[in-house]
Amino acid sequence: MNDPKRALPDLASSELRPVKLAHVVLRVAELARSRAWYLAVLQARVAFENEMLCFLSYDDEHHRIGLIARPDLGREADANTGLEHIAFTYGSLAALLANHRRLAALGIVPYWCINHGPTISMYYRDPDGHRLELQHDVFETAAEVDAFFAGGAYAENFMGVVFDPADLAARFEAGEPLASLTARPGLPVGKGPWDMFVP
């Protein structure tokens, strides 16, 4: 059963700013070498890792540094080590969706929208091609994200599931419960995690 209908923040009167810089993700040549370096330098802990990526945290954020060694660097711009993306967190799903609407009105649209599980994320490219992730944290604490990682769902699908932001906004405004809106669905039949990736 849906909650009462609700509205996204008023674009004319609301400042839709992120509440924090969430994390930076780097493309690295040797994952194990970079993992060891960042663990030592930042006195960090591993939040999640597999053979292609490692999330590190040194505070109450679920990850501050992401390291990724992609097996298929399909674009020339991605053929080198360096910055993968910078992520900014919005204080609510409503703010993230309203900001999407605001940016779309300016002709700025995401190239990739994905429910990672711990976050609902929209990825944009700046005029020079740098990637920015604008996200909403699904869980309230890092401990809840750790439990999600430990539950095995992220190991099975470390990428997430793509979504349509206009559809998500319509469901939000119709009053669909937040838990339903943010729950990560299963992968489509016959698809794997990398099928959800948009470079």
Side-chain angles (χ1 to χ4, degrees):
M1 183 173 189
N2 285 356
D3 295 330
K5 289 187 177 182
R6 57 191 164 222
L8 295 176
D10 178 12
L11 300 182
S13 62
S14 299
E15 292 183 338
L16 298 169
R17 295 178 176 150
V19 295
K20 64 183 176 183
L21 171 60
H23 60 262
V24 174
V25 177
L26 303 170
R27 290 189 304 271
V28 299
E30 295 179 32
L31 187 60
R33 179 184 67 185
S34 295
R35 175 190 187 275
W37 193 89
Y38 278 97
L39 284 173
V41 169
L42 300 177
Q43 295 187 319
R45 66 176 175 84
V46 173
F48 177 84
E49 65 181 328
N50 63 23
E51 65 279 2
M52 290 173 284
L53 60 91
C54 182
F55 294 156
L56 303 171
S57 184
Y58 52 80
D59 60 6
D60 59 356
E61 183 69 10
H62 46 80
H63 68 292
R64 289 293 186 188
I65 301 289
L67 305 172
I68 184 166
R70 293 213 326 246
D72 179 18
L73 299 177
R75 296 184 42 185
E76 186 62 30
D78 293 343
N80 300 305
T81 58
L83 180 67
E84 174 65 28
H85 69 264
I86 302 170
F88 296 89
T89 299
Y90 284 76
S92 66
L93 181 60
L96 179 69
L97 293 171
N99 190 60
H100 168 266
R101 192 172 283 171
R102 179 184 70 85
L103 293 175
L106 298 172
I108 301 170
V109 296
Y111 69 90
W112 186 31
C113 297
I114 188 158
N115 182 335
H116 284 304
T119 64
I120 306 295
S121 300
M122 301 182 194
Y123 289 80
Y124 294 79
R125 287 190 184 91
D126 77 5
D128 294 304
H130 299 112
R131 298 175 179 95
L132 270 66
E133 176 185 5
L134 305 184
Q135 68 175 34
H136 163 66
D137 280 325
V138 171
F139 301 109
E140 292 186 18
T141 67
E144 291 175 279
V145 179
D146 289 343
F148 177 82
F149 286 155
Y154 204 76
E156 180 182 319
N157 176 11
F158 56 86
M159 192 68 67
V161 178
V162 295
F163 70 89
D164 176 345
D167 174 67
L168 189 62
R171 291 166 50 204
F172 178 94
E173 290 175 312
E176 184 173 330
L178 287 175
S180 173
L181 292 168
T182 59
R184 190 177 77 171
L187 283 165
V189 176
K191 300 291 185 182
W194 283 107
D195 294 315
M196 299 292 103
F197 179 66
V198 177

